[in-house]
Amino acid sequence: MPEGKSIPPFDPILLPTFQQYKQEHKAWLPDLDAWDYLNLRGADFDLTAAFSKLFWPDFVEVDGCVLLARRYDPPNFAEWQARYPGNPRAVEAMLNHVHISDLYPGIPAGPDSALPLLEYLAQVLMVCWKHALLELFPDKQFTFSYLTPPDVPGPEISFYQAE
């Protein structure tokens, strides 16, 4: 069978519950994959649709800045513009930065134990957001930043327009 390609590569060993399901169902699903796993977990299409907004978010363009729509708040935007006058890239970088562990406040045993999985999710989000931005703003180029420990407590991503 040909080897599948993925960016970033998916390593199911990062998913302990998936590994448990794989073990429990190996007799009748020896090649259990992520799609089978979602089916077995009773994936909720309502929740799945909500997750789509995480992977393909809405964006707004304000005063030449491209921002995650959920992060745009006019008074906060004005504060950051005042803090970085004439530097819309700094405003974008600040307002578009996301701490991946903040998306999952119920991480058992803290973010350090889940660091490899959080890093994987950060990389997936960056790939998805790059494609979303390319689709929605084909005339603009974006730079992405990715920080991970020890520089920050957990993975953090952001984007801003390239100059």
Side-chain angles (χ1 to χ4, degrees):
M1 176 170 194
E3 184 177 334
K5 293 185 178 187
S6 176
I7 297 176
F10 175 67
D11 185 356
I13 202 75
L14 297 175
L15 308 173
T17 308
F18 173 82
Q19 294 304 319
Q20 180 183 339
Y21 269 70
K22 195 168 182 144
Q23 191 65 28
E24 290 171 1
H25 298 90
K26 68 181 176 185
W28 63 279
L29 264 177
D31 297 321
L32 183 125
D33 65 10
W35 289 29
D36 296 326
Y37 173 61
L38 290 170
N39 183 279
L40 289 170
R41 292 287 305 257
D44 176 326
F45 65 87
D46 184 72
L47 184 59
T48 303
F51 267 111
S52 76
K53 297 317 296 174
L54 176 62
F55 293 99
W56 198 277
D58 296 327
F59 301 95
V60 295
E61 189 169 9
V62 183
D63 290 343
C65 291
V66 175
L67 306 169
L68 290 163
R70 75 173 315 271
R71 299 296 298 266
Y72 175 67
D73 171 67
N76 189 42
F77 180 68
E79 276 183 42
W80 286 106
Q81 281 186 307
R83 185 174 287 185
Y84 296 115
N87 190 349
R89 305 310 155 239
V91 173
E92 287 175 325
M94 178 50 74
L95 291 177
N96 290 327
H97 89 277
V98 174
H99 299 265
I100 304 305
S101 60
D102 289 348
L103 300 171
Y104 305 96
I107 296 171
D112 287 347
S113 65
L115 185 60
L117 187 52
L118 291 171
E119 288 178 333
Y120 170 77
L121 291 169
Q123 293 169 19
V124 168
L125 286 175
M126 283 195 320
V127 169
C128 292
W129 292 4
K130 283 178 185 181
H131 286 281
L133 288 164
L134 179 63
E135 182 76 21
L136 296 169
F137 302 96
D139 57 324
K140 300 182 185 302
Q141 292 186 341
F142 295 90
T143 299
F144 277 76
S145 69
Y146 172 76
L147 299 172
T148 193
D151 300 317
V152 292
E156 176 184 310
I157 62 173
S158 186
F159 67 90
Y160 52 90
Q161 290 179 68
E163 298 197 45

